């Protein structure tokens, strides 16, 4: 079976990453969404093991110690990290795995594994970013401002990504994401074994020359 591809979605807080990946996995069944561990407190409506594995700082540091995380980073005063086992088992089952993680983590995974696809998600404008963050209603104004400030820093790294995904109309954005990932399956660099096998097969036509 063909191994799955890891796709990383990063982007400003409030860009719509969570909304996009939720729709993607609802619509198509070849995707697996990695669930991160975090020390941030659950938001209203979030469940342990569904949005995140919510951990204490001590528990999180133990996971780091045990090498249970592919990567981890600190973001606006909390730890966030990607558990290794789930990602590896899903890839082996041929699923395309989506990591919705911030840029330091994205760069670390890309360093370890240059085959990953890096996608940066942005709303159509800065005003729309602020409106979405406020409209989500999950953070107080101080946290929103800290996240907007962080977005300025993050914008410096946008050109390190492979693709830019503008989240204007949600449905269109989900379709674009699906096409990007599916096209990657046909890239030459991911088909070297197949190319070698076709080369071997085709040699039959040079026999007897
Ligand atoms: P992120 O995960 O990037 O922080 P969310 O998925 O939580 O962002 O989205 C932030 C807010 O913007 C949410 O209230 C969500 O409903 C809204 N939103 C997401 N995508 C769109 C879109 N395409 N158009 C309008 N609002 C959107
Ligand atoms: P939020 O608190 O809004 O859920 O997430 C804050 C930020 O942490 C987002 O940019 C999100 O992509 C990022 N994030 C979530 N999980 C992980 C993770 O496992 N690793 C890293 N590096 N970042 C993460």
């Amino acid at each position: 079976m063909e191994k799955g591809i890891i796709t990383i979605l990063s982007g400003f807080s409030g860009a719509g990453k969570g909304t996009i990946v939720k729709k993607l996995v609802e619509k198509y069944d070849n995707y697996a969404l990695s669930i991160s561990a975090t020390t941030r407190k659950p938001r209203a409506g979030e469940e342990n093991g569904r949005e995140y594995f919510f951990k204490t700082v001590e528990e999180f540091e133990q996971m780091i110690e045990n090498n249970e995380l592919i990567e981890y980073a600190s973001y606006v005063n909390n730890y966030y990290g990607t558990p290794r086992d789930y990602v590896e088992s899903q890839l082996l089952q041929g699923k395309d795995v989506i990591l919705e993680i911030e840029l330091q983590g994205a760069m670390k995974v890309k360093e370890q594994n240059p085959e990953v696809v890096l996608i940066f998600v942005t709303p159509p404008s800065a005003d729309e970013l602020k409106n979405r963050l406020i409209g989500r209603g999950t953070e107080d104004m101080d946290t929103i401002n800290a996240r907007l400030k962080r977005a300025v820093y993050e914008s410096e790294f946008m050109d390190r990504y492979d693709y830019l995904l503008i989240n204007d109309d949600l449905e269109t954005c989900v379709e674009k994401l699906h096409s990007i990932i599916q096209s990657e399956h046909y890239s030459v660099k991911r088909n070297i074994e197949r190319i070698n096998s076709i080369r071997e097969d085709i040699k039959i036509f040079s026999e007897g020359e």
Side-chain angles (χ1 to χ4, degrees):
M1 184 195 287
E2 195 182 338
K3 213 178 156 198
I5 293 175
I6 298 181
T7 297
I8 296 185
L9 275 196
S10 305
F12 313 127
S13 179
K17 303 176 296 293
T19 310
I20 297 164
V21 293
K22 189 161 174 272
K23 281 249 170 209
L24 184 79
V25 298
E26 275 168 14
K27 197 159 177 189
Y28 300 101
D29 61 13
N30 59 311
Y31 295 108
L33 180 57
S34 160
I35 301 170
S36 298
T38 184
T39 58
R40 134 160 118 56
K41 298 278 165 287
R43 292 179 184 139
E46 287 185 335
E47 266 178 38
N48 189 33
R50 192 179 64 193
E51 282 79 12
Y52 282 102
F53 296 105
F54 294 100
K55 303 284 177 190
T56 62
V57 171
E58 293 71 29
E59 285 168 342
F60 196 98
E61 287 174 347
Q62 194 61 53
M63 291 179 87
I64 300 173
E65 189 108 320
N66 297 345
N67 197 26
E68 287 172 46
L69 301 173
I70 296 179
E71 60 72 38
Y72 68 92
S74 174
Y75 172 94
V76 192
N77 305 327
N78 283 299
Y79 277 133
Y80 294 82
T82 307
R84 185 184 305 281
D85 282 358
Y86 178 80
V87 172
E88 288 179 355
S89 71
Q90 294 297 310
L91 288 176
L92 288 175
Q93 289 170 44
K95 295 272 190 184
D96 289 330
V97 178
I98 315 282
L99 310 187
E100 194 232 294
I101 66 178
E102 55 66 67
L103 70 94
Q104 300 169 59
M107 297 303 145
K108 278 186 225 161
V109 179
K110 184 84 175 180
E111 256 168 45
Q112 290 167 28
N113 180 356
E115 306 272 279
V116 301
V117 182
L118 294 186
I119 302 181
F120 197 95
V121 183
T122 173
S125 69
D127 277 349
E128 178 64 11
L129 176 65
K130 192 168 181 183
N131 291 340
R132 284 186 192 173
L133 258 186
I134 294 171
R136 188 167 68 188
T138 49
E139 274 90 11
D140 59 35
M141 221 40 222
D142 281 351
T143 310
I144 290 178
N145 284 329
R147 286 179 173 230
L148 289 171
K149 204 163 174 187
R150 169 86 186 185
V152 179
Y153 165 76
E154 288 172 339
S155 70
E156 291 297 319
F157 292 83
M158 289 168 79
D159 55 6
R160 304 241 192 131
Y161 282 71
D162 299 313
Y163 294 92
L164 177 68
L165 187 61
I166 296 174
N167 178 20
D168 195 346
D169 174 66
L170 181 61
E171 289 297 330
T172 313
C173 183
V174 170
E175 282 317 299
K176 282 184 192 161
L177 176 58
H178 178 62
S179 331
I180 292 169
I181 301 171
Q182 293 320 302
S183 309
E184 281 287 328
H185 279 282
Y186 305 113
S187 67
V188 162
K189 68 171 192 262
R190 292 184 203 277
N191 283 280
I192 300 299
E193 270 181 41
R194 196 163 285 150
I195 289 173
N196 287 337
S197 141
I198 293 169
R199 279 183 177 145
E200 275 309 307
D201 286 354
I202 205 123
K203 277 187 187 155
I204 194 170
F205 299 125
S206 65
E207 277 169 16
E209 271 179 16

